[in-house]
Amino acid sequence: MANVFRSAALCLLASTPAAQQVGTHVAEEHPELPLWECDAGGCTKETKSVVLDSNWRWIHNGQYTNCYKDGDWDKTLCPDPQTCAQNCHMDGAGVREYASTYGIHANGNGLTLDFVTDTEYGSNYGSRVYLMDNEREYKMFKLKNREFTLTVDMARMPCGLNGAVYFVEMEQDGGVGSSGGSNQAGAMYGTGYCDAQCPHDMKFINGEANTIDWNATSDPPIGKYGSCCAEMDIWEANSRATAYTPHPCSLTGLHRCEGTECGDNDKDERYDGVCDKDGCDFNSWRLGNHTYYGRKVAGADFVVDSKKKLT
């Protein structure tokens, strides 16, 4: 779950036909997730919810024609970023779709996230969700001089997979206010993602479609622009390894990068960008403690056995 460090003003702006519009085929319904706030007097349970990242959502022309399909944009609906955003609608997902299409299951005291979910329209791989404070705003965490805990189950996470809980510097409203009216969907539909890897696979950045120089043959498909911001990895793990990593950037908030500032690996510019992609990580195995965390089996004993739930 990626959340936000800073607040952002929410404003309503008059504009021409808006970008990143909202579809009406499926009403958005957020799965519930409990959160406990604790102090010296005890803990209070709050019922919050999560929202699916916008990159996973169905994007169409307001009817049933796809704006994006099989890794590529429809050239008629999306000849340029602005026209694409005006033509295309991002649809919702109900709790049933969260489970049956995206493999996201609320189980009372937490979430279960499936890696592969097969549907009649194809297979969905992975997911990314954000904790909501209310229906239209992400939960803002202010953790200085405070404790943050979570319970995870890595028992069925093999090598090659990454189950992550982390914070990124997204805007509280998902970028609605700062988009100048070009983003109508906002946090309610999981918009505004960024991280220190400056991902180029974001379909929309600041309410505009990332269609310029879109490479549909890349894995994943990518566009010209990346979406950068600071990142704090609390938990990145599978059943074999785990890491805790801060990734600072030289700027504040979401930044749409272009060229060298993105720090792209394929251009040999990883260390020339605005964010520290490597970060300063703590990985117990790499730092020399080979018996602290791992999957306990015959001949391999660990202080923390990843076959058990851990907090």
Side-chain angles (χ1 to χ4, degrees):
M1 288 174 288
N3 298 290
V4 287
F5 287 135
R6 66 187 183 89
S7 61
L10 175 63
C11 58
L12 299 177
L13 301 173
S15 65
T16 55
Q20 211 165 354
Q21 299 181 79
V22 175
T24 58
H25 294 315
V26 182
E28 180 66 16
E29 184 183 8
H30 299 147
E32 292 185 349
L33 179 68
L35 178 70
W36 284 264
E37 291 275 354
C38 303
D39 57 26
C43 296
T44 302
K45 181 179 179 180
E46 296 182 77
T47 300
K48 299 297 185 180
S49 62
V50 298
V51 62
L52 176 69
D53 183 283
S54 61
N55 238 36
W56 270 257
R57 294 177 180 272
W58 177 29
I59 305 173
H60 55 76
N61 69 339
Q63 298 299 319
Y64 292 93
T65 301
N66 293 319
C67 290
Y68 185 91
K69 183 179 180 181
D70 298 330
D72 206 356
W73 297 93
D74 182 282
K75 299 301 188 292
T76 301
L77 293 169
C78 295
D80 59 73
Q82 294 76 25
T83 303
C84 183
Q86 290 174 8
N87 286 338
C88 297
H89 297 66
M90 182 178 298
D91 226 306
V95 170
R96 183 179 65 178
E97 287 77 23
Y98 268 80
S100 63
T101 302
Y102 303 107
I104 301 166
H105 309 268
N107 56 31
N109 285 326
L111 291 176
T112 299
L113 306 179
D114 297 335
F115 179 55
V116 181
T117 303
D118 295 319
T119 75
E120 61 180 304
Y121 303 107
S123 298
N124 177 77
Y125 295 93
S127 60
R128 186 166 59 218
V129 297
Y130 313 124
L131 187 61
M132 303 293 288
D133 196 31
N134 55 60
E135 282 299 293
R136 295 191 177 274
E137 292 182 319
Y138 297 130
K139 170 69 176 176
M140 304 287 283
F141 283 87
K142 301 180 186 294
L143 296 178
K144 186 176 181 179
N145 297 324
R146 302 185 70 187
E147 183 178 285
F148 174 83
T149 63
L150 65 148
T151 298
V152 295
D153 184 353
M154 296 287 110
R156 295 189 297 157
M157 288 284 289
C159 288
L161 295 184
N162 177 25
V165 176
Y166 58 105
F167 297 102
V168 292
E169 206 174 7
M170 294 163 65
E171 296 184 9
Q172 187 174 20
D173 64 0
V176 172
S178 63
S179 72
S182 62
N183 177 0
Q184 286 191 342
M188 185 174 184
Y189 292 85
T191 68
Y193 181 72
C194 55
D195 66 36
Q197 303 305 314
C198 302
H200 285 264
D201 65 337
M202 302 307 298
K203 297 185 181 76
F204 288 88
I205 304 175
N206 293 335
E208 290 188 357
N210 193 17
T211 57
I212 298 175
D213 298 336
W214 188 262
N215 181 358
T217 63
S218 173
D219 185 15
I222 56 174
K224 176 180 180 179
Y225 301 110
S227 187
C228 308
C229 68
E231 174 185 348
M232 180 68 235
D233 298 331
I234 303 296
W235 177 262
E236 286 191 301
N238 52 45
S239 62
R240 305 291 184 174
T242 179
Y244 171 90
T245 314
H247 295 271
C249 299
S250 60
L251 41 77
T252 300
L254 186 156
H255 174 69
R256 189 181 77 169
C257 71
E258 177 182 358
T260 300
E261 63 182 1
C262 296
D264 295 334
N265 293 330
D266 59 359
K267 299 176 183 176
D268 198 25
E269 295 176 340
R270 180 177 181 84
Y271 301 106
D272 301 323
V274 296
C275 293
D276 181 358
K277 294 191 172 186
D278 288 357
C280 183
D281 75 318
F282 183 93
N283 178 301
S284 56
W285 178 280
R286 190 167 56 78
L287 294 175
N289 189 340
H290 295 173
T291 60
Y292 179 67
Y293 177 88
R295 187 178 182 85
K296 187 177 290 188
V297 295
D301 195 13
F302 297 94
V303 175
V304 178
D305 180 7
S306 63
K307 292 193 296 183
K308 300 179 180 179
K309 293 182 180 180
L310 61 99
T311 300

